[in-house]
């Protein structure tokens, strides 16, 4: 009887091992099958964001990308956009960790003088209907809401702080924390863009 129980136990362990092995192989295979499409989708999203935020270009900004580490884990990415080898703008993948729900990643396009051409929200977890409005809020075209827009404004000449805090940009209604975070991401991107653009200008003199 004891031998039968031992045999049954061994069989159960063996069956569980086989099931675990098969599941592991299946998951590994699924990951390999989906890895490239996921990477391709992320790349396509990034390229579309670059096209959205800078003037028309005919180079491949990804071929000329350079990166700047901000802290131990996070990096800004700079994508120079050129028309016939002349810089027309730079798309900067920037971020803030000051959002209401954590990180916010933004692709912002700067003209050579630092003026904002456009921006695109890449990733966030802000509250739907409130902080999530930042994708459109700061692109206001209504003259009555001009203070809510960052388009065609230069963070070096405009106080990129919400007006509630003494700045020049009106925050999203009922989403001040998200608005402050958005401004922080833009300002971080601008500061590093100007700093590194100055280095490039000096190196080419």
């Amino acid at each position: 009887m004891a031998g039968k129980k031992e045999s049954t136990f061994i069989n159960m362990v063996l069956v569980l091992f086989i099931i675990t092995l098969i599941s592991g192989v299946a998951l590994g295979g699924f990951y390999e099958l989906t890895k490239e499409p996921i990477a391709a989708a992320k790349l396509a999203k990034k390229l579309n964001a670059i096209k959205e935020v800078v003037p028309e270009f005919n180079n491949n900004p990804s071929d000329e990308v350079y990166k700047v580490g901000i802290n131990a884990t996070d990096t800004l990415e700079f994508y120079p956009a050129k028309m016939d080898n002349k810089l027309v703008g730079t798309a900067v993948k920037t971020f803030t960790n000051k959002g209401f729900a954590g990180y916010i990643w933004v692709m912002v396009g700067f003209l050579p003088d630092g003026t904002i051409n456009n921006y695109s929200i890449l990733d966030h977890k802000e509250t739907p209907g409130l902080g999530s409005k930042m994708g459109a809020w700061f692109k206001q075209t209504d003259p009555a809401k001009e203070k809510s827009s960052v388009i065609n404004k230069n963070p070096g000449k405009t106080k990129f702080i919400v007006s509630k805090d003494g700045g020049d940009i009106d925050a999203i209604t009922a989403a001040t924390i998200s608005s402050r975070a958005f401004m922080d991401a833009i300002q971080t991107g601008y500061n590093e863009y100007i700093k590194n653009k100055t280095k490039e200008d000096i190196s080419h003199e």
Side-chain angles (χ1 to χ4, degrees):
M1 191 69 176
K4 187 175 180 181
K5 285 184 178 179
E6 186 177 343
S7 177
T8 302
F9 176 75
I10 292 172
N11 288 339
M12 287 174 60
V13 171
L14 184 61
V15 169
L16 286 172
F17 174 75
I18 292 172
I19 291 173
T20 303
L21 181 64
I22 291 172
S23 299
V25 171
L27 285 172
F30 179 75
Y31 171 75
E32 286 301 322
L33 284 173
T34 58
K35 182 171 67 174
E36 288 190 13
I38 290 173
K42 285 184 177 179
L43 178 60
K45 183 178 180 180
K46 185 184 291 184
L47 291 174
N48 286 335
I50 293 171
K51 290 178 182 178
E52 183 180 344
V53 303
V54 293
E56 187 177 354
F57 55 88
N58 56 15
N59 70 318
N60 183 352
S62 294
D63 289 343
E64 301 181 47
V65 63
Y66 58 96
K67 302 179 180 183
V68 175
I70 296 297
N71 52 45
T73 58
D74 299 307
T75 301
L76 300 192
E77 298 177 3
F78 299 78
Y79 297 87
K82 299 177 180 179
M83 176 61 74
D84 298 333
N85 211 36
K86 180 181 179 181
L87 184 71
V88 294
T90 300
V92 181
K93 182 183 177 185
T94 181
F95 77 97
T96 180
N97 57 10
K98 298 179 180 178
F100 184 75
Y103 276 80
I104 298 171
W105 288 91
V106 183
M107 186 74 80
V108 55
F110 294 107
L111 299 179
D113 68 350
T115 298
I116 294 173
N117 186 65
N118 203 352
Y119 72 87
S120 175
I121 304 298
L122 298 177
D123 189 44
H124 74 89
K125 294 181 177 63
E126 301 302 278
T127 307
L130 292 174
S132 64
K133 289 182 178 179
M134 62 189 160
W137 181 271
F138 298 107
K139 298 180 183 181
Q140 300 279 1
T141 55
D142 183 347
K145 297 182 178 180
E146 193 273 338
K147 279 195 69 176
S148 298
S149 178
V150 301
I151 307 301
N152 296 323
K153 292 178 181 176
N154 189 314
K157 301 174 182 177
T158 303
K159 289 180 70 175
F160 266 61
I161 303 172
V162 297
S163 52
K164 183 177 181 179
D165 298 335
D168 295 330
I169 310 295
D170 285 346
I172 302 167
T173 304
T176 303
I177 293 175
S178 297
S179 300
R180 286 172 177 151
F182 175 83
M183 296 302 152
D184 180 63
I186 299 296
Q187 190 69 54
T188 297
Y190 172 82
N191 291 345
E192 293 302 322
Y193 168 67
I194 293 299
K195 187 188 303 180
N196 287 278
K197 182 178 182 298
T198 301
K199 289 179 182 176
E200 284 192 349
D201 291 343
I202 293 172
S203 68
H204 288 109
E205 287 180 356

